Amino acid sequence: MKKLCFSIIIIAAIFFLTSCSVIELLSKNSERVTLTIMGRKSDVKKSYLNSIFEQYEKSTGNKLDIIAFEDAEFEERAAKKFSDGEIPDIFLHFHNADLSRYNVSNNFYFLNDEPWINELTDSAAAYCKDSHGNLLGMPFWESSVSGCYYNKTILDSLGLKPASTQAEFDVLCQALADIGYNPICWPANGCTWMFQFGLDPIFADNPSLLESLNKNEISYSDIPEVRNMVKWISDAADKGWFGPNYLENGWSDISYNIGSGNYVMTFIWDTWFYTDFENDNKYGIDDFALMPIFMNTANNGTYEGGNLNMMMINKNGENLQEALEFLKFCADEKNYNIAFDSIATVNCFKGQTTNIQSPMVTNAASSIEENERVSVAASRIIGYSADDVSDAFNKLFCKKTDVLTCVHLMDDYRIKEAKKYGADGF
């Protein structure tokens, strides 16, 4: 009897200990993770990001701590956090020159072997790769096609056709100017993106040229195509192709200038028509179509693929694996289609079906396929700053310098910026 009681006690003890271990294991496995995400305040407010954030938290029970800085302060404050060792699990950033502030190779996880790679469209994946082919982040963003958006209603009424070569575009601009139209809305007052469209083909079509520039072996002034671009823009302004008020025109003026018909064309992207274009003017979205951008650097013109905000992963963080699982969640067709429902964007993921695609883009699909280039100038030229390039051109527009001096000034600004961040070779 004593032996039986002792056996019962032993069994009970084992059961108790085993139960405690199971409870402890379950408790450990049920611990939730909080991932930190850092980005610009205007970026993290995007509806599709908020959708994927909410889906993730609801599905996993994990939490997301969003660290948002005002747009104008973002680069400085984020860089300070990095230098202080306060690096988030997930960092939202575009693939541009400012990315060099964050010591990419030391701080971020290359995503080359992640299972969702083939879910990305070719153009979206290309945008997120560095010069060595490493995938720096997941492009979870609204994508666009930048090109020359023109008022097809006006051109049709005048018996004019869109251009397919540089010579045809020059003739079109002069014809419009001769009959009293302002050909191109060029917002020189604070808008800086236009120049990269002309530079992209030079370096996208000749990677070795880009490599030499980034090693400081050559400069812009050594490249004839860069000089050709600067001269073309200068001549276009002098011929009146940008209209009489281009130096005063800024971001807030584009919508009226284009919508009223005062200007026939502008170099912009399709999503702008759905986010910023005011449809209460004489002309609406249906009056516009798309052709390539011409700046005398690509005979058949060029389109630029979307500049995309990337989700980048801190490779040294405690939550590395959970952060990678977050990206897997974002790349799930079911989840991203909920997030991008009714968003006007070109696909970043092959399985996107709920987003809206602009008829302007779909109607120009064959031309885009032939002439689209990934964004190169803003993302891959070391030391590139759109503000600096714009400053050099504004001096040219105001006759404070000439074409060649403008090119040299672009070089000076670029090299100074590269040295500021300790780029190799500078």
Side-chain angles (χ1 to χ4, degrees), residues 90-163:
I90 300 162
F91 187 54
L92 303 181
H93 204 283
F94 291 86
H95 191 180
N96 57 27
D98 281 317
L99 195 58
S100 62
R101 297 169 181 251
Y102 303 98
N103 201 337
V104 172
S105 60
N106 285 344
N107 288 324
F108 295 109
Y109 187 88
F110 292 153
L111 302 166
N112 306 332
D113 299 320
E114 291 306 290
W116 43 263
I117 293 294
N118 291 331
E119 192 71 17
L120 299 178
T121 62
D122 291 343
S123 59
Y127 174 84
C128 299
K129 291 180 179 178
D130 66 13
S131 58
H132 302 291
N134 295 307
L135 190 70
L136 303 180
M138 172 186 284
F140 200 92
W141 199 243
E142 60 198 65
S143 186
S144 58
V145 175
S146 295
C148 179
Y149 288 83
Y150 66 95
N151 191 319
K152 63 182 180 182
T153 302
I154 290 178
L155 289 194
D156 288 345
S157 71
L158 298 172
L160 297 173
K161 295 181 179 180

Side-chain angles (χ1 to χ4, degrees), residues 47-73:
S47 62
Y48 42 87
L49 283 184
N50 279 280
S51 173
I52 203 70
F53 293 164
E54 291 170 7
Q55 289 183 66
Y56 174 77
E57 289 185 328
K58 183 177 180 181
S59 175
T60 65
N62 291 338
K63 298 297 181 184
L64 299 174
D65 179 17
I66 310 300
I67 304 167
F69 298 131
E70 293 290 347
D71 291 20
E73 304 173 353

Side-chain angles (χ1 to χ4, degrees), residues 164-166 201 292-295 298-303 371-373:
S164 58
T165 67
Q166 182 69 54
I293 290 171
F294 297 93
M295 288 193 204
N299 185 57
N300 296 321
T302 189
Y303 302 94
N371 301 300
E372 185 181 35
R373 294 164 174 89

